[in-house]
mmCIF file of all heavy atoms in Angstrom:
data_model
loop_
_atom_site.group_PDB
_atom_site.id
_atom_site.type_symbol
_atom_site.label_atom_id
_atom_site.label_comp_id
_atom_site.label_asym_id
_atom_site.label_seq_id
_atom_site.Cartn_x
_atom_site.Cartn_y
_atom_site.Cartn_z
ATOM 1 N N THR A 938 1.474 2.451 -6.659
ATOM 2 C CA THR A 938 1.656 3.680 -5.974
ATOM 3 C C THR A 938 3.056 4.241 -6.166
ATOM 4 O O THR A 938 3.991 3.539 -6.367
ATOM 5 C CB THR A 938 1.399 3.584 -4.422
ATOM 6 O OG1 THR A 938 1.406 4.863 -3.830
ATOM 7 C CG2 THR A 938 2.373 2.588 -3.804
ATOM 8 N N PHE A 939 3.207 5.581 -5.997
ATOM 9 C CA PHE A 939 4.509 6.275 -5.907
ATOM 10 C C PHE A 939 4.928 6.467 -4.490
ATOM 11 O O PHE A 939 6.045 7.073 -4.252
ATOM 12 C CB PHE A 939 4.413 7.610 -6.712
ATOM 13 C CG PHE A 939 4.383 7.444 -8.138
ATOM 14 C CD1 PHE A 939 3.243 7.205 -8.910
ATOM 15 C CD2 PHE A 939 5.540 7.570 -8.920
ATOM 16 C CE1 PHE A 939 3.280 7.195 -10.284
ATOM 17 C CE2 PHE A 939 5.623 7.505 -10.362
ATOM 18 C CZ PHE A 939 4.467 7.287 -10.989
ATOM 19 N N SER A 940 4.229 6.075 -3.548
ATOM 20 C CA SER A 940 4.422 6.366 -2.135
ATOM 21 C C SER A 940 5.638 5.609 -1.570
ATOM 22 O O SER A 940 6.174 6.051 -0.620
ATOM 23 C CB SER A 940 3.216 6.068 -1.329
ATOM 24 O OG SER A 940 2.208 6.906 -1.600
ATOM 25 N N LYS A 941 5.916 4.393 -2.056
ATOM 26 C CA LYS A 941 6.846 3.512 -1.373
ATOM 27 C C LYS A 941 8.236 3.546 -2.046
ATOM 28 O O LYS A 941 9.113 4.281 -1.587
ATOM 29 C CB LYS A 941 6.213 2.120 -1.417
ATOM 30 C CG LYS A 941 4.840 1.970 -0.845
ATOM 31 C CD LYS A 941 4.752 2.493 0.554
ATOM 32 C CE LYS A 941 3.292 2.496 1.043
ATOM 33 N NZ LYS A 941 3.110 2.971 2.363
ATOM 34 N N ALA A 942 8.419 2.796 -3.113
ATOM 35 C CA ALA A 942 9.750 2.671 -3.713
ATOM 36 C C ALA A 942 10.224 4.123 -4.262
ATOM 37 O O ALA A 942 11.411 4.424 -4.321
ATOM 38 C CB ALA A 942 9.801 1.716 -4.879
ATOM 39 N N TYR A 943 9.298 4.905 -4.697
ATOM 40 C CA TYR A 943 9.638 6.188 -5.291
ATOM 41 C C TYR A 943 9.690 7.273 -4.243
ATOM 42 O O TYR A 943 10.246 8.463 -4.493
ATOM 43 C CB TYR A 943 8.653 6.643 -6.332
ATOM 44 C CG TYR A 943 8.659 5.725 -7.524
ATOM 45 C CD1 TYR A 943 7.617 4.735 -7.770
ATOM 46 C CD2 TYR A 943 9.672 5.823 -8.535
ATOM 47 C CE1 TYR A 943 7.693 3.935 -8.912
ATOM 48 C CE2 TYR A 943 9.658 5.008 -9.618
ATOM 49 C CZ TYR A 943 8.613 4.064 -9.790
ATOM 50 O OH TYR A 943 8.738 3.252 -10.878
ATOM 51 N N GLY A 944 9.221 7.077 -3.055
ATOM 52 C CA GLY A 944 9.420 8.024 -1.951
ATOM 53 C C GLY A 944 8.573 9.222 -2.020
ATOM 54 O O GLY A 944 8.903 10.320 -1.585
ATOM 55 N N LEU A 945 7.370 9.097 -2.557
ATOM 56 C CA LEU A 945 6.552 10.320 -2.888
ATOM 57 C C LEU A 945 5.204 10.234 -1.984
ATOM 58 O O LEU A 945 4.166 10.676 -2.455
ATOM 59 C CB LEU A 945 6.131 10.483 -4.320
ATOM 60 C CG LEU A 945 7.371 10.793 -5.197
ATOM 61 C CD1 LEU A 945 6.994 10.791 -6.683
ATOM 62 C CD2 LEU A 945 8.163 12.034 -4.721
ATOM 63 N N ALA A 946 5.240 9.611 -0.889
ATOM 64 C CA ALA A 946 4.052 9.492 -0.089
ATOM 65 C C ALA A 946 3.405 10.867 0.260
ATOM 66 O O ALA A 946 2.102 10.960 0.319
ATOM 67 C CB ALA A 946 4.288 8.718 1.316
ATOM 68 N N GLY A 947 4.187 11.868 0.425
ATOM 69 C CA GLY A 947 3.718 13.140 0.803
ATOM 70 C C GLY A 947 2.928 13.844 -0.322
ATOM 71 O O GLY A 947 2.150 14.846 -0.005
ATOM 72 N N VAL A 948 3.201 13.539 -1.538
ATOM 73 C CA VAL A 948 2.574 14.271 -2.670
ATOM 74 C C VAL A 948 1.167 13.570 -3.020
ATOM 75 O O VAL A 948 0.385 14.127 -3.735
ATOM 76 C CB VAL A 948 3.440 14.460 -3.944
ATOM 77 C CG1 VAL A 948 4.644 15.212 -3.574
ATOM 78 C CG2 VAL A 948 3.687 13.168 -4.637
ATOM 79 N N ARG A 949 0.961 12.306 -2.604
ATOM 80 C CA ARG A 949 -0.209 11.543 -2.860
ATOM 81 C C ARG A 949 -0.418 11.212 -4.339
ATOM 82 O O ARG A 949 -1.080 12.058 -5.069
ATOM 83 C CB ARG A 949 -1.445 12.260 -2.202
ATOM 84 C CG ARG A 949 -1.312 12.736 -0.877
ATOM 85 C CD ARG A 949 -0.864 11.686 0.114
ATOM 86 N NE ARG A 949 -1.805 10.492 0.170
ATOM 87 C CZ ARG A 949 -1.387 9.215 -0.028
ATOM 88 N NH1 ARG A 949 -0.164 8.971 -0.282
ATOM 89 N NH2 ARG A 949 -2.320 8.277 0.014
ATOM 90 N N LEU A 950 0.146 10.175 -4.773
ATOM 91 C CA LEU A 950 0.029 9.781 -6.215
ATOM 92 C C LEU A 950 0.080 8.328 -6.442
ATOM 93 O O LEU A 950 0.961 7.623 -5.893
ATOM 94 C CB LEU A 950 1.222 10.377 -7.033
ATOM 95 C CG LEU A 950 1.178 10.105 -8.533
ATOM 96 C CD1 LEU A 950 -0.052 10.685 -9.187
ATOM 97 C CD2 LEU A 950 2.507 10.671 -9.142
#
Side-chain angles (χ1 to χ4, degrees):
T938 185
F939 283 84
S940 293
K941 308 304 179 184
Y943 294 103
L945 297 180
V948 303
R949 311 307 301 128
L950 181 64

